[in-house]
Amino acid sequence: MELSRMSWAKARDGLKNTTVALLPVGSTEQHGPHLPLGTDHLTAAEVARRAGERGGWLILPTVPVGVSEHHRQFWGTLWVEPEVLREYMVGIARSLGSHGVRRMVFVNGHGGNTAALDEAARILRHEDLFGYVFSWWRAIPDLIAQEIETQGSHAGEMETSAVLAFAPGLVASECYSEAVAGAAPEWGKRLHGVEIGFDTLDFSQSGATGDPTRATADKGDRLLDAAAGRLDAFCHWLASEPEESLRPRPHVR
Ligand SMILES: [Zn+2]
């Protein structure tokens, strides 16, 4: 059930029967020379789509640009300020709430968005609008440890596997060697326990981390399915929870 494909007449009936909506949000940012700029928002939309197939949840239009300024030296990267993303999410949730749907999940595909999404969820809760942040890769750490052999959360084995699973034509495997040659072993750069990598370019010349040559579509498929399964389970919980227990607690006595 995708909102953007419905007429208002269809939405009138559909929204009355909707308790939980999924809002995919990601980024448009460099993902090495081998993955598309849309990797994060395309992956978020794919996880939401798979969860929606399981549980029949309402899928909202994907938010494609997020907090990505740290990739700015790589061509094509777009970004907005964190507070812009936060207010944009709050605005979407308020407008959805005006139609009677007050429970939603931000299906997130980009780590840099997390702080802004957390803030949005906190603001909304004071208005009896209930948003929750689901960052797909954080929901399946055990499976990732089992399936993914190399470190590198950004444009490495994990994300490349994910894109191979749903859009193999967008993966430029002939650029793997260029990606690996300039890659950082993992995200960030630390010195004496202090993070000194502000921009991706401070630690990765290709924009990638880890080793995308180990990626396969089968691995990606298993990760995406497992993430969708957890998201679907969360939505079932959210749909059935009494509103009283979602609200902030009153003062202690
Ligand atoms: Zn990514």
Side-chain angles (χ1 to χ4, degrees):
M1 223 177 22
E2 283 182 64
L3 188 72
S4 58
R5 293 177 176 271
M6 296 176 184
S7 65
W8 71 255
K10 283 248 169 62
R12 174 183 53 198
D13 303 332
L15 289 169
K16 279 180 192 152
N17 299 318
T18 296
T19 41
V20 174
L22 305 181
L23 176 52
V25 52
S27 68
T28 298
E29 67 178 33
Q30 74 81 19
H31 272 76
H34 62 296
L35 288 181
L37 293 160
T39 291
D40 288 347
H41 78 256
L42 296 172
T43 306
E46 177 66 13
V47 171
R49 188 188 69 75
R50 292 184 185 213
E53 263 180 11
R54 289 169 185 248
W57 315 109
L58 177 69
I59 312 287
L60 302 177
T62 299
V63 173
V65 176
V67 180
S68 303
E69 191 180 355
H70 50 292
H71 293 289
R72 67 189 190 276
Q73 296 92 341
F74 290 92
W75 300 95
T77 296
L78 305 178
W79 65 88
V80 295
E81 299 302 320
E83 56 271 27
V84 172
L85 179 66
R86 181 189 72 206
E87 292 308 309
Y88 195 63
M89 302 305 277
V90 166
I92 293 171
R94 283 178 182 148
S95 55
L96 186 69
S98 80
H99 303 301
V101 179
R102 295 185 296 116
R103 302 178 185 200
M104 66 192 306
V105 182
F106 304 138
V107 183
N108 181 36
H110 173 50
N113 291 343
T114 312
L117 298 178
D118 284 343
E119 285 182 21
R122 287 175 179 279
I123 291 167
L124 291 167
R125 194 169 182 231
H126 293 294
E127 303 175 23
D128 285 346
L129 295 166
F130 305 102
Y132 295 85
V133 182
F134 179 89
S135 293
W136 71 266
W137 68 100
R138 290 194 177 130
I140 50 167
D142 294 347
L143 186 66
I144 288 172
Q146 192 183 309
E147 295 275 355
I148 301 299
E149 301 156 53
T150 54
Q151 294 291 309
S153 54
H154 182 81
E157 182 183 349
M158 180 185 78
E159 286 194 317
T160 305
S161 294
V163 179
L164 281 171
F166 67 86
L170 298 182
V171 179
S173 57
E174 69 276 14
C175 296
Y176 281 172
S177 54
E178 187 188 341
V180 171
E186 60 184 319
W187 183 260
K189 183 179 184 181
R190 280 155 295 279
L191 185 66
H192 305 307
V194 178
E195 181 61 52
I196 57 168
F198 290 91
D199 292 335
T200 314
L201 196 55
D202 292 334
F203 50 87
S204 172
Q205 296 305 303
S206 70
T209 63
D211 185 358
T213 64
R214 310 288 272 275
T216 71
D218 284 347
K219 287 180 190 175
D221 205 43
R222 288 193 286 274
L223 297 186
L224 295 172
D225 261 346
R230 297 218 76 186
L231 176 56
D232 178 52
F234 179 78
C235 291
H236 279 288
W237 171 83
L238 183 56
S240 60
E241 198 67 3
E243 182 160 324
E244 197 55 37
S245 75
L246 300 177
R247 288 199 188 116
R249 304 285 179 272
H251 272 73
V252 295
R253 291 177 190 276

